[in-house]
Amino acid sequence: MINFLILPLLIPFLTGILLIFFAKNVVIQRWIAAFSAFFNVIIAFLLVQKVRNDGILTLDVSSWQAPFGITLVSDMISALLVLTTTIIALTSVIYSFRSIGIERERYFYYPALNFLIVGVIGAFTTGDIFNLFVFFEVLLMASYVLLVLGGTKIQLRETIKYILVNVISSALFVIAVAYLYSVVGTLNMAHISVRLNELGQSGIITVIAVLFLIVFGLKGGIFPLYFWLPGSYYAPPAPVMALFGALLTKVGVYAIMRTYTLFFIHDTGYTHQLLMILTIITIIVGVIGAIAFSDIKKIIIYNIIVAIGVILFGVSVMTPDSIAGSVFYLIHDMIIKAGLFLLIGIIIAITGTSDLRKISGLIKRYPGLGWTFFLAALVLAGIPPFSGFVGKVLIVKGGFESEHYWGAGIVLTSSLLVLFSIMKIFINGFWGTPQDYKGEDKVPVRKLLIAPVILVTISVLYGAGSEFIFPYISQAAETLANPSIYIDAVLKEW
């Protein structure tokens, strides 16, 4: 019998292989990709319920018991992120039917998308630090294909930069893992935590902690390592932007959350203080970028950077409330960022431009698009009672409790500036005098709206139903705040 936690990993993997054989038959590819993505959402939902009822699930691959073999682990944060990933994958597939273009669909778009999901879900599920590197490489290889697919000049230029950055990052990742292994003699993440508890955080462990922060900071996009992100995420079409913005940076964020709550917890006065300083600067830089640009893609991209800073500020504070807030806000941001990228994709398809100065009056002809975007803007900015508000309140509360007043104040202030940046799109793009745009009558707006409406609706329900959802968030945060829960579940009687 197949262990339940591996199914969300196997389904997109087998689907990706199957789709390669139907590369030229777009209709069959669409049906297979959509059915697989929908089925995976159901499996992921059932996985969350199973973890809720039975506790942390583990699978020792090839029957090699942890810590000697490769272990897959599904605790609540992993299960919630897997569910969120499958929802975003499904909506991106649905949106792609009417937007990505048949030429891309014929050149292995859907297989690459599924392999990207394999890498993301694998990174969220692995209990082995080296296999975290392996799954990073899987998702990166798929992302190279998705980024370059279409062959436009900007895509080719940004792909070269993106590959160079990630090759360097991957080399640093291997070096960091090698250094860590030389000290602790194991690759199992739970066992690494045990060994570090025995050794204490010596100078070499602090150096390794900083090295991992550089590696995951490059992948997650924290200051000053975010330099590659605005250009690379600007280049691909809307559904690929949604996948990248919602998932890829969040894998780096998750990796920092996991390692900085499980491994490097003995010298928080240095490691977490460094993380806090970088997150505060990340928020400031992101806000400045979001306000400064008049390009709707750039505004949303810089809001990704703001969110990364907010989430990791909660991790750096390391209180139960701030960690719970970071988990809640991480899921919120994944969903709403995917929705916003799909919405601006529709705006660009209608107008033929992403320059806000050339867009106006859209709400007169497309009221559904306009009010969906308005609702998404309120959700993103964290206006009560939406989901962004709940997560930020907990993060700020943790900041005040630990007397990090400046950081908590900057997180609060960022909400107003994020609202300003996103409402700039709504006021300038949707109000004003309607314009005629070449080819807008050919854009299937209603069909394209299905996917972002699903995401915005889920995000609204996520905030409105926070009381119902919070026990799941608390369970996830408890595992992060108390590493012994994770260690006991993985190592069992070892």
Side-chain angles (χ1 to χ4, degrees):
M1 181 178 176
I2 296 176
N3 191 298
F4 200 74
L5 75 85
I6 202 173
L7 284 176
L9 196 60
L10 278 179
I11 290 168
F13 175 70
L14 296 175
T15 302
I17 293 172
L18 179 63
L19 288 170
I20 291 171
F21 296 99
F22 296 98
K24 302 303 178 185
N25 194 321
V26 172
V27 175
I28 292 177
Q29 280 197 81
R30 289 174 178 175
W31 276 102
I32 293 173
F35 177 77
S36 169
F38 179 73
F39 184 61
N40 216 20
V41 171
I42 296 171
I43 294 295
F45 178 78
L46 294 174
L47 176 62
V48 170
Q49 296 303 319
K50 191 168 180 62
V51 173
R52 174 69 179 155
N53 296 327
D54 300 344
I56 298 173
L57 304 179
T58 63
L59 173 64
D60 296 320
V61 178
S62 302
S63 299
W64 282 83
Q65 189 174 353
F68 304 109
I70 296 170
T71 303
L72 299 178
V73 184
S74 188
D75 58 355
M76 185 53 76
I77 185 171
S78 170
L80 288 172
L81 292 176
V82 168
L83 175 59
T84 308
T85 300
T86 59
I87 292 169
I88 292 166
L90 174 61
T91 51
S92 296
V93 166
I94 293 170
Y95 188 92
S96 297
F97 294 165
R98 298 288 176 178
S99 68
I100 199 70
I102 198 162
E103 287 305 313
R104 285 189 175 97
E105 288 179 300
R106 283 177 176 166
Y107 282 91
F108 307 103
Y109 170 74
Y110 293 112
L113 188 152
N114 275 275
F115 290 132
L116 179 80
I117 300 305
V118 170
V120 173
I121 291 176
F124 290 148
T125 306
T126 186
D128 183 286
I129 191 69
F130 185 76
N131 277 285
L132 180 61
F133 164 76
V134 171
F135 283 117
F136 261 116
E137 293 306 298
V138 171
L139 70 89
L140 285 172
M141 284 188 285
S143 70
Y144 300 153
V145 176
L146 291 172
L147 185 55
V148 80
L149 206 57
T152 63
K153 184 177 179 180
I154 185 174
Q155 284 181 287
L156 294 170
R157 185 184 72 234
E158 293 302 329
T159 300
I160 292 170
K161 182 170 72 177
Y162 181 72
I163 290 173
L164 286 173
V165 167
N166 280 291
V167 166
I168 294 167
S169 174
S170 296
L172 287 173
F173 197 167
V174 174
I175 292 167
V177 170
Y179 275 134
L180 185 61
Y181 182 78
S182 71
V183 174
V184 297
T186 182
L187 295 171
N188 182 280
M189 291 164 76
H191 199 214
I192 290 170
S193 183
V194 172
R195 288 287 177 86
L196 289 176
N197 281 330
E198 295 168 355
L199 295 169
Q201 189 141 333
S202 61
I204 186 64
I205 299 300
T206 302
V207 170
I208 293 169
V210 174
L211 190 54
F212 272 105
L213 182 58
I214 293 170
V215 169
F216 298 140
L218 262 173
K219 296 181 185 298
I222 67 172
F223 178 87
L225 306 168
Y226 70 93
F227 60 89
W228 58 271
L229 193 151
S232 296
Y233 283 19
Y234 188 92
V240 178
M241 276 196 298
L243 286 168
F244 283 18
L247 300 180
L248 296 197
T249 50
K250 302 311 184 295
V251 176
V253 169
Y254 164 79
I256 293 173
M257 289 179 75
R258 181 65 81 186
T259 54
Y260 270 61
T261 57
L262 185 62
F263 298 171
F264 309 118
I265 54 177
H266 306 96
D267 187 18
T268 56
Y270 183 84
T271 55
H272 289 61
Q273 195 69 26
L274 174 62
L275 178 61
M276 183 180 296
I277 292 167
L278 294 179
T279 58
I280 291 170
I281 300 173
T282 301
I283 295 170
I284 294 169
V285 169
V287 165
I288 291 170
I291 292 171
F293 282 100
S294 296
D295 188 296
I296 58 176
K297 285 186 185 180
K298 287 285 178 70
I299 292 170
I300 306 300
I301 288 168
Y302 274 93
N303 273 302
I304 294 175
I305 296 169
V306 176
I308 291 163
V310 171
I311 295 162
L312 291 176
F313 175 78
V315 175
S316 69
V317 171
M318 280 291 279
T319 68
D321 281 334
S322 70
I323 291 174
S326 290
V327 174
F328 196 98
Y329 199 84
L330 173 59
I331 295 167
H332 142 82
D333 193 68
M334 290 170 73
I335 297 168
I336 199 60
K337 283 297 193 314
L340 279 166
F341 274 117
L342 297 183
L343 286 168
I344 65 170
I346 300 174
I347 296 171
I348 293 166
I350 292 168
T351 62
T353 181
S354 60
D355 189 342
L356 196 53
R357 293 166 295 189
K358 298 177 181 177
I359 305 169
S360 67
L362 287 175
I363 203 163
K364 302 284 177 64
R365 295 177 185 171
Y366 308 101
L369 173 62
W371 293 116
T372 303
F373 187 90
F374 178 74
L375 190 57
L378 297 182
V379 173
L380 177 69
I383 303 301
F386 297 116
S387 54
F389 173 75
V390 179
K392 274 190 180 174
V393 163
L394 289 168
I395 292 170
V396 170
K397 182 183 176 185
F400 283 133
E401 285 174 352
S402 59
E403 300 182 355
H404 296 295
Y405 302 115
W406 275 102
I410 288 170
V411 170
L412 276 176
T413 306
S414 72
S415 295
L416 296 174
L417 297 174
V418 165
L419 180 62
F420 172 78
S421 72
I422 202 76
M423 290 306 292
K424 183 169 66 174
I425 299 176
F426 182 73
I427 293 167
N428 294 327
F430 287 94
W431 296 115
T433 307
Q435 299 183 38
D436 292 322
Y437 300 101
K438 185 179 178 181
E440 67 176 298
D441 54 323
K442 297 178 181 178
V443 180
V445 174
R446 289 185 178 180
K447 291 178 180 177
L448 288 174
L449 263 175
I450 293 171
V453 164
I454 291 170
L455 290 168
V456 173
T457 302
I458 290 171
S459 196
V460 169
L461 293 175
Y462 182 57
S466 57
E467 189 175 347
F468 168 76
I469 292 165
F470 205 74
Y472 296 86
I473 302 296
S474 296
Q475 186 175 337
E478 186 182 8
T479 305
L480 291 173
N482 187 359
S484 62
I485 298 172
Y486 182 92
I487 293 166
D488 292 343
V490 175
L491 298 182
K492 301 182 180 71
E493 299 177 0
W494 185 82

